[in-house]
Amino acid sequence: MADLSVEYMGLKLRNPIIVGSSGLTDNTESIRNLEQNGAAAIVLKSLFEEEIVLEKEASISRMQSGSSLYPESLDFYQYEDTPAESTSDYLDMIKSVKSQVPIPVIASINCMTAQQWTWFPKEIERAGADALELNVFMLPSDMDRSVEETEKVYFDIIGEVADRIGIPVALKISYYFSNLANMIRKLSETSIRGLVLFNRFYSPDIDLDNFEITSGSVLSSPGDLSLSLRWIAIMADRVKCDLAASTGVHDGNALIKQLLVGASAVQVVSAIYKHGGERIAEMLHDLESWMDAQGFNNIGDFQGRLSQSKSGNPAAFERVQFMKYFRGFTG
Ligand SMILES: Cc1cc2nc3c(=O)[nH]c(=O)nc-3n(C[C@H](O)[C@H](O)[C@H](O)COP(=O)(O)O)c2cc1C
């Protein structure tokens, strides 16, 4: 029987399937079910930077308005960083999940700045999370903001978080960079241990009957795999951290393809929303059958074999125009 174990960010995983941050990972019962279906790790539902900041501000203002306020208590609060409400719920959840499932638990924070919330990762580490994933995203729609300003935020966040905690930190990023390959490489040369390519975003759509803006599909489809497949293939041998594939991994074949181009692990969300936790077991079964048929004993026997620099057809990953098909394509 093939050995499916992999290493991601220094975490030993029994197989390459991680359940991505979502409503699937916001409660212990669901996480237990995912684990029983074979998930090797889970990324908890994200806490938003704003939630961390707002709670702290609310708590400080409660102290300031309280009749028994002593100035020292405010100082104490600022230095001790006592979390409250949803932040403490989040820490409780980490402890609860850790006590009930044996797989690594990766906490997650959605953030856009390197200010005011960056005390919280230390609390996450203390609560027992095995790693932290930072979902960093700013839509580059502000025409007055330079590329340098936007990109600097990522490195500021890394400096405030990844450099200051002991557990491994991954960055989950978008593909909206002026020079994506260069940015991915620069990020990988920092203290982060993993990059998750890529996040999926809310996308607007139009209701033609009611002249309204609506939401595009929340869940991905299998065809969405190609974006991360291309970029993992291009970057796999050029980065100094692990790469995890996210978006469009819906079945065992997609999992195998991502491993072949060099992913260390994949994150799965939409396929589980659509098909239930059993989809994880099916994907693992398909991976194992394929490895047996190919005579592979370990993931390392084939991982990265088709990355851009190792494949026999490196140009395929950089081809962007359908020249051959546009001429005489008949459908
Ligand atoms: C309902 C839902 C909730 C999500 N919530 C989060 C979240 O809190 N934090 C995050 O980083 N990603 C979140 N995501 C994005 C997923 O983690 C994942 O990156 C995305 O769905 C692409 O993977 P998929 O094609 O397997 O669905 C969410 C996705 C869905 C569908």
Side-chain angles (χ1 to χ4, degrees), residues 22-329:
S22 59
L24 299 166
T25 56
D26 71 355
N27 68 86
T28 314
E29 197 186 325
S30 168
I31 292 169
R32 230 187 291 121
N33 172 268
L34 297 165
E35 187 271 326
Q36 279 159 9
N37 273 295
I42 58 102
V43 186
L44 291 175
K45 173 95 186 129
S46 305
L47 197 61
F48 281 71
E49 164 186 334
E50 295 90 325
E51 294 179 83
I52 302 169
V53 175
L54 281 176
E55 273 190 23
K56 184 153 183 173
E57 281 170 357
S59 196
I60 289 174
S61 93
R62 273 199 300 276
M63 282 193 198
Q64 282 171 326
S65 62
S67 53
S68 63
L69 177 72
Y70 296 99
E72 313 81 76
S73 69
L74 197 57
D75 284 343
F76 177 79
Y77 182 83
Q78 279 166 339
Y79 292 121
E80 291 301 306
D81 291 319
T82 312
E85 290 160 34
S86 67
T87 47
S88 61
D89 286 350
Y90 202 76
L91 300 177
D92 288 345
M93 166 125 121
I94 293 170
K95 288 177 200 155
S96 156
V97 176
K98 279 303 293 175
S99 70
Q100 293 186 52
V101 295
I103 55 175
V105 172
I106 304 171
S108 168
I109 298 177
N110 272 352
C111 52
M112 295 170 66
T113 75
Q115 284 133 33
Q116 295 187 67
W117 63 271
T118 52
W119 56 273
F120 192 59
K122 195 95 210 143
E123 298 297 322
I124 282 177
E125 179 176 25
R126 281 193 196 118
D130 297 281
L132 174 63
E133 184 176 288
L134 299 176
N135 176 355
V136 192
F137 184 53
M138 292 139 272
L139 188 76
S141 59
D142 181 348
M143 283 179 275
D144 295 324
R145 196 178 161 108
S146 69
V147 170
E148 289 73 23
E149 276 174 272
T150 302
E151 294 188 351
K152 182 174 179 296
V153 176
Y154 289 79
F155 297 96
D156 289 348
I157 290 173
I158 292 170
E160 288 293 322
V161 178
D163 292 355
R164 294 180 181 207
I165 58 175
I167 53 175
V169 174
L171 232 58
K172 184 180 189 182
I173 60 169
S174 80
Y175 37 85
Y176 290 106
F177 290 103
S178 311
N179 187 344
L180 183 57
N182 177 267
M183 185 65 174
I184 290 175
R185 195 188 62 198
K186 280 194 298 190
L187 289 171
S188 83
E189 288 167 352
T190 66
S191 54
I192 62 165
R193 303 284 300 276
L195 276 165
V196 183
L197 310 184
F198 296 104
N199 198 4
R200 178 178 166 80
F201 305 102
Y202 167 87
S203 48
D205 201 354
I206 308 271
D207 175 341
L208 293 181
D209 295 323
N210 297 304
F211 294 86
E212 276 173 6
I213 312 298
T214 59
S215 162
S217 173
V218 174
L219 300 181
S220 70
S221 52
D224 293 323
L225 182 78
S226 55
L227 189 68
S228 60
L229 195 70
R230 177 198 293 264
W231 285 101
I232 289 187
I234 291 174
M235 298 310 300
D237 298 312
R238 301 185 170 117
V239 287
K240 293 207 159 62
C241 70
D242 291 334
L243 298 178
S246 167
T247 303
V249 181
H250 281 242
D251 56 26
N253 286 355
L255 162 64
I256 296 166
K257 290 175 190 177
Q258 291 287 13
L259 295 169
L260 274 170
V261 296
S264 296
V266 302
Q267 295 195 0
V268 183
V269 172
S270 294
I272 303 174
Y273 272 111
K274 287 183 182 175
H275 306 287
E278 308 80 54
R279 178 49 68 114
I280 302 169
E282 288 164 22
M283 289 168 73
L284 291 172
H285 173 265
D286 291 350
L287 170 63
E288 217 170 338
S289 305
W290 180 82
M291 285 175 68
D292 287 344
Q294 297 292 335
F296 295 136
N297 297 317
N298 302 290
I299 301 281
D301 291 344
F302 66 95
Q303 192 175 24
R305 190 187 270 201
L306 292 181
S307 69
Q308 188 188 32
S309 62
K310 297 209 184 84
S311 83
N313 184 9
F317 291 111
E318 290 194 34
R319 186 174 300 139
V320 286
Q321 306 289 8
F322 284 96
M323 191 169 69
K324 193 169 98 189
Y325 300 98
F326 281 180
R327 291 203 191 112
F329 183 70

